Amino acid sequence: MPNDGFSPEEGEKPCCNLSKKAKVGLGIFICVLVVATVIPVVLKWYPAPKHKEWNGPGTTPHFPEIVLGRCYTYTQVLRPELRHMDCQEIAKAFMRAFLSKDPCSSAEQDYQQLLRLTNQTIPCGTSVFWSKSNELAHQYTKVQWAMFTLEDMLVGYMADNLDWCGDHSSSDMNYESCPHWRKDCTTNPKSVFWDAVSRRFAENACGVVQVVLNGSISNTFDRNSTFGRVEIHNLYPGKVPTLQAWVMHDVGGVHRHSCSSPDINDLKLILRNRNIRFTCQDDYRPIKFLQCVTNSEHSSCNSVM
Ligand SMILES: *[C@@H]1O[C@H](CO)[C@@H](O)[C@H](O)[C@H]1NC(C)=O
Ligand SMILES: *[C@@H]1O[C@H](CO)[C@@H](O)[C@H](O)[C@H]1NC(C)=O
Ligand SMILES: *[C@@H]1O[C@H](CO)[C@@H](O)[C@H](O)[C@H]1NC(C)=O
């Protein structure tokens, strides 16, 4: 071995007049001192990455578990004809769409793989759209088991009523807050997701389709709603000959709009320009029945029952 001048024998010069015990004690003391001062300084320089603060609610707790569980519930229990679908892959594709990404730069492209894995065909004439009538429209398809709203499709079922977003500086979900579509940005993971899946739901629709509208509010037909902004513009006229609208009024509530309102005429004109026939009916009986189940005493329900 070449003598480089740092062999242990040479380096270990007898030091000071301390006993071995004292030297060990001093060593430990210095170590503790270094650790105690260095760690806080390092932590101060490199704080744990903190998520940015947004104005919308954070990711729903247990989001990955909920998505995976709903996927299995849907494909194994509710619609077993889809039991071949790979829920592990589907849930992974969902997470990959937004994790480690800037939550204000979300794009429909991010969800392509999820959309591909959850491709689901339903029979013609079974698509039900809704706007401002969330609860009633879903009561309707719950009874009419053969009809489908977007939330009755696998992809909509998995995400219904959940919040989610990530952060480009972290591979975790942001459980504290997520971008609000109006106060922060419209290109957030959740809004982009619903636009993407709504567009596909409309594109895939065939036969006569239906929409449940809310006649008890001022914006019965809202051009800024998902229905007015995305869905009606993505129906294929070659596949969808007719859209049937049901304008429903709350039992005992106000009638802001009906089929003869100018608002509804707007909808009719948009569809006419797209070569899709439009029909409209106020308080469609099969849906009115459902409203009357919980309002059976109301006079307007006498003629229905
Ligand atoms: C979805 O499935 C249909 C038929 O099952 C098929 O024609 C279509 O190409 C599929 N779309 C995608 C994006 O995989
Ligand atoms: C109409 O909208 C109001 C306010 O959101 C809601 O309370 C009501 O249940 C809706 N009515 C129908 C028929 O969907
Ligand atoms: C739709 O939204 C845009 C932007 O948020 C707004 O400027 C416009 O007034 C809205 N239009 C309607 C009809 O509500």
Side-chain angles (χ1 to χ4, degrees), residues 132-136 212-217 248-250 291:
K132 327 274 180 193
S133 61
N134 190 334
E135 202 179 324
L136 189 57
V212 182
L213 298 175
N214 188 336
S216 290
I217 53 168
M248 304 306 300
H249 302 95
D250 293 337
Q291 294 177 295

Side-chain angles (χ1 to χ4, degrees), residues 71-99:
C71 181
Y72 281 122
T73 300
Y74 192 92
T75 58
Q76 302 299 315
V77 182
L78 297 178
R79 307 271 174 191
E81 64 273 21
L82 296 181
R83 73 170 79 79
H84 61 277
M85 285 205 170
D86 186 342
C87 285
Q88 296 284 349
E89 273 307 306
I90 289 170
K92 259 192 237 160
F94 203 152
M95 305 306 145
R96 268 201 297 267
F98 66 95
L99 284 185

Side-chain angles (χ1 to χ4, degrees), residues 16-303:
C16 330
N17 292 325
L18 292 171
S19 71
K20 195 168 181 182
K21 231 179 181 176
K23 272 195 238 172
V24 170
L26 189 66
I28 290 175
F29 175 74
I30 289 171
C31 274
V32 168
L33 198 70
V34 165
V35 165
T37 52
V38 165
I39 286 182
V41 167
V42 167
L43 283 184
K44 201 173 172 146
W45 283 345
Y46 302 100
K50 177 124 178 59
H51 290 304
K52 201 173 157 173
E53 278 173 30
W54 304 102
N55 292 295
T59 303
T60 308
H62 308 291
F63 178 84
E65 293 87 354
I66 294 173
V67 165
L68 187 63
R70 284 183 178 179
C71 181
Y72 281 122
T73 300
Y74 192 92
T75 58
Q76 302 299 315
V77 182
L78 297 178
R79 307 271 174 191
E81 64 273 21
L82 296 181
R83 73 170 79 79
H84 61 277
M85 285 205 170
D86 186 342
C87 285
Q88 296 284 349
E89 273 307 306
I90 289 170
K92 259 192 237 160
F94 203 152
M95 305 306 145
R96 268 201 297 267
F98 66 95
L99 284 185
S100 303
K101 294 181 184 177
D102 173 7
C104 270
S105 308
S106 202
E108 292 203 6
Q109 192 58 33
D110 298 335
Y111 288 104
Q112 278 317 299
Q113 205 199 357
L114 177 65
L115 288 184
R116 204 170 42 74
L117 291 171
T118 56
N119 189 16
Q120 180 181 5
T121 44
I122 55 172
C124 288
T126 61
S127 306
V128 178
F129 299 91
W130 57 270
S131 182
K132 327 274 180 193
S133 61
N134 190 334
E135 202 179 324
L136 189 57
H138 293 114
Q139 281 172 7
Y140 175 50
T141 56
K142 199 158 193 172
V143 173
Q144 299 279 336
W145 184 239
M147 309 293 286
F148 294 82
T149 63
L150 175 55
E151 295 72 22
D152 298 311
M153 306 289 283
L154 171 60
V155 78
Y157 182 84
M158 286 195 302
D160 197 17
N161 285 321
L162 301 182
D163 292 296
W164 65 91
C165 69
D167 197 311
H168 61 292
S169 65
S170 151
S171 59
D172 201 7
M173 272 146 281
N174 185 345
Y175 290 103
E176 309 293 313
S177 65
C178 287
H180 184 277
W181 69 274
R182 185 161 33 79
K183 294 179 194 154
D184 297 309
C185 55
T186 51
T187 50
N188 65 74
K190 184 179 167 179
S191 300
V192 167
F193 167 89
W194 285 112
D195 280 2
V197 297
S198 299
R199 188 159 62 81
R200 184 181 59 173
F201 184 58
E203 283 170 355
N204 286 349
C206 55
V208 175
V209 301
Q210 309 179 10
V211 61
V212 182
L213 298 175
N214 188 336
S216 290
I217 53 168
S218 59
N219 48 349
T220 298
F221 171 61
D222 181 353
R223 284 169 181 265
N224 274 350
S225 66
T226 305
F227 174 66
R229 185 172 44 83
V230 180
E231 290 169 335
I232 47 171
H233 303 289
N234 284 288
L235 294 169
Y236 282 139
K239 291 200 297 177
V240 177
T242 306
L243 178 116
Q244 292 176 323
W246 318 123
V247 177
M248 304 306 300
H249 302 95
D250 293 337
V251 173
V254 289
H255 287 222
R256 290 284 176 93
H257 291 286
S258 65
C259 285
S260 51
S261 296
D263 262 44
I264 302 295
N265 206 45
D266 262 9
L267 171 59
K268 182 181 180 163
L269 292 179
I270 293 173
L271 289 164
R272 180 183 288 166
N273 286 337
R274 304 206 57 229
N275 272 320
I276 295 172
R277 209 168 78 89
F278 177 75
T279 69
C280 184
Q281 196 174 319
D282 286 305
D283 296 316
Y284 178 56
R285 262 174 78 92
I287 302 180
K288 175 86 182 186
F289 266 128
L290 299 173
Q291 294 177 295
C292 284
V293 167
T294 47
N295 292 277
S296 55
E297 301 302 317
H298 196 268
S299 57
S300 76
C301 286
N302 291 342
S303 55

